[in-house]
């Protein structure tokens, strides 16, 4: 029964990680036109960095109890310079008429969103398969 619970823990950590990834992508898309933030300057794109335990470490029995699956190591801020767009009528335009726009590429964000959605679906499939196996195992005793 502990192996089933371990698979549930690992899968739920993957679901949580992909949900966080989707939330960050939504934040990036929502702020794709934000030129003024509390920190000053335009919004900067964010990206989560995931980590996992090495495979050989996960195979050892002693480490198995500590297995947590996927963890969010950090949320990295994109350090690329902002995109400069000519718009002299914008309130945040500089003396030459250029506005520093966020470095968010909506097309790349949509591709990342599709990848995160697929990864989330994969975790749901694994969770359902584990649940079906647990239910079949419970039926053996009847």
């Amino acid at each position: 029964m502990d192996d089933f619970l371990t698979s549930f823990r690992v899968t739920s950590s993957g679901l949580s990680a992909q949900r966080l990834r989707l939330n960050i992508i939504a934040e990036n898309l929502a702020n794709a036109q934000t030129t003024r933030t509390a920190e000053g300057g335009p919004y900067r794109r964010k990206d989560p960095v995931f980590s996992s335990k090495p495979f050989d470490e996960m195979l050892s029995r002693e480490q198995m109890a500590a297995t947590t699956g996927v963890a969010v190591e950090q949320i990295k801020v994109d350090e690329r310079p902002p995109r400069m767009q000519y718009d002299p009528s914008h309130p945040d335009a500089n003396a030459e008429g250029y506005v520093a726009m966020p470095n968010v590429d909506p097309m790349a964000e949509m591709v990342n969103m599709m990848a995160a959605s697929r990864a989330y679906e994969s975790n749901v499939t694994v969770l359902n398969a584990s649940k079906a196996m647990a239910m079949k195992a419970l039926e053996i005793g009847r």
Side-chain angles (χ1 to χ4, degrees), residues 14-26 48 50 108-126:
L15 288 169
S16 296
Q18 295 306 324
R19 185 189 64 211
L20 175 75
R21 183 178 175 195
L22 285 168
N23 286 340
I24 289 173
I25 291 168
F50 298 137
E109 296 299 324
M110 292 303 291
V111 170
N112 285 339
M113 184 183 295
M114 288 173 33
S117 178
R118 297 281 186 241
Y120 191 90
E121 289 173 7
S122 298
N123 281 300
V124 168
T125 301
V126 169

Side-chain angles (χ1 to χ4, degrees), residues 25-92:
I25 291 168
E27 181 182 328
N28 288 340
L29 286 171
N31 289 301
Q33 299 295 321
T34 303
T35 58
R36 192 179 310 169
T37 61
E39 296 84 28
Y43 175 80
R44 293 195 171 268
R45 181 180 178 276
K46 295 176 184 167
D47 207 15
V49 177
F50 298 137
S51 66
S52 66
K53 293 192 179 281
F55 187 69
D56 57 341
E57 197 176 298
M58 288 179 66
L59 290 179
S60 69
R61 230 11 174 168
E62 296 81 30
Q63 297 291 329
M64 199 64 157
T67 301
T68 57
V70 180
V72 178
E73 192 171 297
Q74 69 175 358
I75 297 174
K76 189 175 172 187
V77 175
D78 194 343
E79 295 298 329
R80 290 181 298 170
R83 182 173 42 92
M84 300 304 287
Q85 181 177 342
Y86 184 71
D87 186 2
S89 64
H90 195 283
D92 292 329

